[in-house]
């Protein structure tokens, strides 16, 4: 993002830069104050969540997937001890720092001295925030009862982090002004229940389909849920998920097939799944090569229309019920859906970025086709030119 150019167009450069830095400084101080004043809250939340988990472990749903059992974990993994809290906050702040680093790299390409200066200031503020937060969390050894409203207190912490995510996202917006609408990736840096993208239109009724995408993740255990499609009365109408120590699965009408994908190595991979309602025949492709096939996956059940398509989260209810432990962590790009079974050659063309590669006739990958929430971010990406 060319911050220098944007600033010169709108106001006095120095004043705009100063205002931005001061706003970030205010967020830093607010986060520090929240952690310092609410250490008893964090301690009490840890204790309560641990007791809840020990007394009532969630029952797995069909296919071994965990279903919603009450209050959701919004900050990451299920365990919430002080060490885990420290690690989660550290991971959150590290992702923010990485996004600022990316902004700094972009500004270098645009030869903007003033933009580079701003990135240095922002980086410094984030580092200060990290030191302050980690110092406070690491020093929590005991606490006194003082929790009156768990939802309110947890919301305050998340609101502050979300505000910081949003501030950086605002800075990132300038990157997309001159890029083609399909040359981007979605990045989900953390396991949360509030980072996701929502596709603006529903899917039609389908008696066959092909779903393809590029994925990059090193999350463990399980990369999470790249996408989920829910319809009224069936939250698992069409879902791709790798949760816990289970292999990746495709679910159709809550019936599942295990897929032979191995993708959590931190490298870009192209994956496709084809399916037809006739006999429920399916095929799975990774990097242009068929890795597995089967049948009897929801045979003679058409994919229903009028649903909600979400990227990055698994829906336990129609359009919601997100669970942080099932969230996708990593990068996703070039997500396409067809209402027919693509041929082996057509899938190979997609995986190799051939000029003959087609785009989805049901859903095609465009920035204007979705809304992004919760701190998930968009970055310029062109398949095959940026592999690993």
């Amino acid at each position: 993002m060319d911050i220098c150019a944007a600033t010169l167009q709108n106001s006095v450069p120095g004043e705009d830069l100063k205002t931005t830095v001061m706003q970030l400084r205010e967020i830093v101080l607010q986060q520090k104050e929240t952690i310092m004043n609410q250490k008893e809250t964090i301690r009490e939340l840890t204790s309560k969540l641990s007791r809840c988990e020990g007394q009532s472990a969630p029952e797995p749903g069909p296919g071994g997937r965990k279903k919603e059992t009450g209050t959701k974990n919004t900050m990451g993994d299920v365990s919430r001890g002080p060490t885990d809290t420290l690690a989660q906050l550290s991971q959150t702040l590290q992702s923010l720092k990485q996004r600022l680093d990316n902004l700094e790299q972009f500004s270098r390409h645009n030869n903007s001295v003033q933009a580079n200066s701003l990135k240095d200031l922002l980086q410094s503020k984030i580092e200060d925030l990290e030191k302050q937060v980690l110092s406070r969390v690491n020093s929590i050894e005991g606490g006194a009862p003082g929790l009156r409203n768990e939802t309110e207190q947890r919301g305050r912490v998340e609101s502050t982090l979300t505000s910081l995510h949003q501030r950086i996202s605002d800075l990132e917006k300038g990157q997309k002004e001159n890029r083609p609408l399909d040359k981007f990736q979605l990045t989900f840096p953390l396991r949360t229940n509030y980072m996701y993208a929502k596709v603006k239109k529903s899917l039609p009724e389908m008696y066959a389909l092909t779903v393809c995408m590029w994925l990059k993740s090193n999350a463990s255990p399980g990369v999470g849920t790249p996408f989920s499609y829910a319809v009224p009365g069936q939250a698992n109408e069409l879902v791709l998920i790798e949760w816990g120590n289970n292999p990746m699965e495709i679910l159709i009408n809550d019936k599942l097939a295990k897929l032979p994908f191995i993708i959590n190595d931190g490298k870009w991979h192209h994956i496709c799944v084809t399916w037809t309602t006739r006999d429920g025949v399916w095929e799975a492709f990774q990097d242009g090569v068929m890795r597995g096939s089967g049948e009897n996956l929801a045979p003679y059940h058409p994919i229903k229309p009028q649903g909600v398509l979400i990227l990055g989260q698994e829906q336990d209810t129609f359009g919601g019920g997100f669970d942080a432990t099932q969230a996708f962590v990593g990068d996703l790009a070039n997500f396409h859906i067809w209402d027919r079974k693509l041929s082996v050659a057509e899938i190979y063309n997609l995986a190799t970025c051939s000029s003959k590669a087609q785009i989805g006739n049901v859903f095609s990958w465009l920035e204007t086709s979705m809304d992004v929430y919760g701190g998930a971010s968009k970055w310029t990406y062109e398949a095959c030119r940026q592999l690993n």
Side-chain angles (χ1 to χ4, degrees):
M1 180 174 98
D2 194 340
I3 295 178
C4 183
T7 301
L8 288 173
Q9 290 175 3
N10 296 308
S11 62
V12 180
E15 289 301 318
D16 240 17
L17 295 177
K18 181 178 179 181
T19 299
T20 301
V21 172
M22 291 305 295
Q23 289 173 334
L24 275 174
R25 178 61 178 169
E26 182 179 349
I27 293 172
V28 169
L29 294 175
Q30 180 185 359
Q31 179 68 18
K32 178 183 177 182
E33 181 180 1
T34 299
I35 295 299
M36 291 180 66
N37 292 341
Q38 300 303 325
K39 63 180 181 179
E40 290 86 4
T41 298
I42 296 173
R43 184 72 172 181
E44 187 69 10
L45 273 174
T46 299
S47 176
K48 284 183 177 290
L49 284 171
S50 296
R51 288 199 298 271
C52 285
E53 289 153 10
Q55 294 171 3
S56 178
E59 293 294 330
R65 293 170 297 102
K66 184 176 73 60
K67 303 303 289 183
E68 182 179 11
T69 58
T71 301
K72 288 186 175 293
N73 169 13
T74 61
M75 293 300 291
D77 299 330
V78 175
S79 57
R80 303 305 306 151
T83 301
D84 297 315
T85 301
L86 173 63
Q88 183 64 32
L89 285 172
S90 177
Q91 187 180 10
T92 301
L93 294 166
Q94 186 60 40
S95 76
L96 295 176
K97 290 172 64 180
Q98 181 61 49
R99 291 170 69 183
L100 289 174
D101 288 341
N102 291 336
L103 285 172
E104 185 175 23
Q105 285 184 351
F106 189 87
S107 68
R108 286 173 181 165
H109 290 307
N110 286 273
N111 297 318
S112 172
V113 175
Q114 199 165 23
N116 280 329
S117 176
L118 176 59
K119 302 307 178 304
D120 290 339
L121 289 170
L122 297 179
Q123 184 71 43
S124 174
K125 300 306 178 184
I126 293 297
E127 289 174 354
D128 288 344
L129 171 60
E130 183 181 42
K131 292 176 183 178
Q132 294 162 1
V133 171
L134 297 186
S135 174
R136 292 306 304 169
V137 175
N138 200 33
S139 68
I140 297 175
E141 299 296 341
L147 184 65
R148 297 183 179 180
N149 190 322
E150 293 181 14
T151 303
E152 178 183 351
Q153 302 301 341
R154 182 186 297 176
R156 288 181 60 187
V157 175
E158 290 183 357
S159 176
T160 303
L161 288 174
T162 301
S163 295
L164 191 50
H165 276 294
Q166 186 60 51
R167 178 66 61 185
I168 297 175
S169 295
D170 289 342
L171 294 175
E172 294 165 351
K173 284 181 180 178
Q175 290 189 69
K176 67 182 182 182
E177 292 179 355
N178 298 317
R179 70 174 176 228
L181 291 177
D182 63 335
K183 298 297 189 292
F184 75 101
Q185 69 183 51
L186 284 178
T187 296
F188 303 90
L190 303 168
R191 289 197 194 278
T192 74
N193 68 355
Y194 54 81
M195 288 188 185
Y196 65 98
K198 182 178 180 180
V199 173
K200 294 180 180 180
K201 70 174 185 177
S202 178
L203 302 182
E205 186 175 55
M206 294 186 290
Y207 293 83
L209 66 83
T210 300
V211 180
C212 295
M213 71 202 77
W214 285 93
L215 291 177
K216 180 181 179 181
S217 179
N218 59 3
S220 180
V223 302
T225 308
F227 78 90
S228 64
Y229 177 69
V231 297
Q234 179 53 272
N236 296 319
E237 183 68 6
L238 178 62
V239 181
L240 184 67
I241 183 171
E242 185 182 78
W243 179 74
N245 293 316
N246 299 312
M248 184 165 280
E249 301 167 345
I250 180 78
L251 290 96
I252 297 178
N253 192 32
D254 212 25
K255 308 300 187 296
L256 67 87
K258 297 183 183 298
L259 305 178
F261 293 150
I262 302 176
I263 61 172
N264 64 335
D265 56 3
K267 298 180 179 180
W268 281 104
H269 293 284
H270 186 263
I271 64 172
C272 285
V273 179
T274 69
W275 171 84
T276 61
T277 186
R278 183 179 178 86
D279 296 325
V281 175
W282 60 270
E283 296 174 341
F285 296 78
Q286 180 174 326
D287 299 325
V289 178
M290 185 188 297
R291 299 296 178 91
S293 62
E295 59 183 15
N296 202 35
L297 173 60
Y300 305 103
H301 170 83
I303 302 297
K304 296 180 180 179
Q306 305 304 316
V308 175
L309 179 58
I310 298 291
L311 306 181
Q313 296 284 349
E314 196 268 346
Q315 303 173 64
D316 281 341
T317 60
F318 180 63
F322 303 150
D323 187 327
T325 64
Q326 295 177 324
F328 175 68
V329 180
D331 302 316
L332 185 153
N334 292 72
F335 179 84
H336 292 273
I337 300 177
W338 293 259
D339 59 2
R340 65 181 181 87
K341 176 183 175 182
L342 295 190
S343 68
V344 173
E346 287 174 319
I347 291 174
Y348 183 79
N349 287 339
L350 288 164
T352 56
C353 301
S354 166
S355 59
K356 299 179 181 179
Q358 303 180 39
I359 63 172
N361 67 332
V362 170
F363 176 80
S364 59
W365 186 248
L366 294 173
E367 288 197 62
T368 54
S369 65
M370 68 190 75
D371 294 316
V372 179
Y373 300 93
S377 57
K378 296 178 182 178
W379 295 96
T380 299
Y381 172 79
E382 188 167 356
C384 292
R385 292 189 178 183
Q386 296 177 231
L387 286 181
N388 310 321

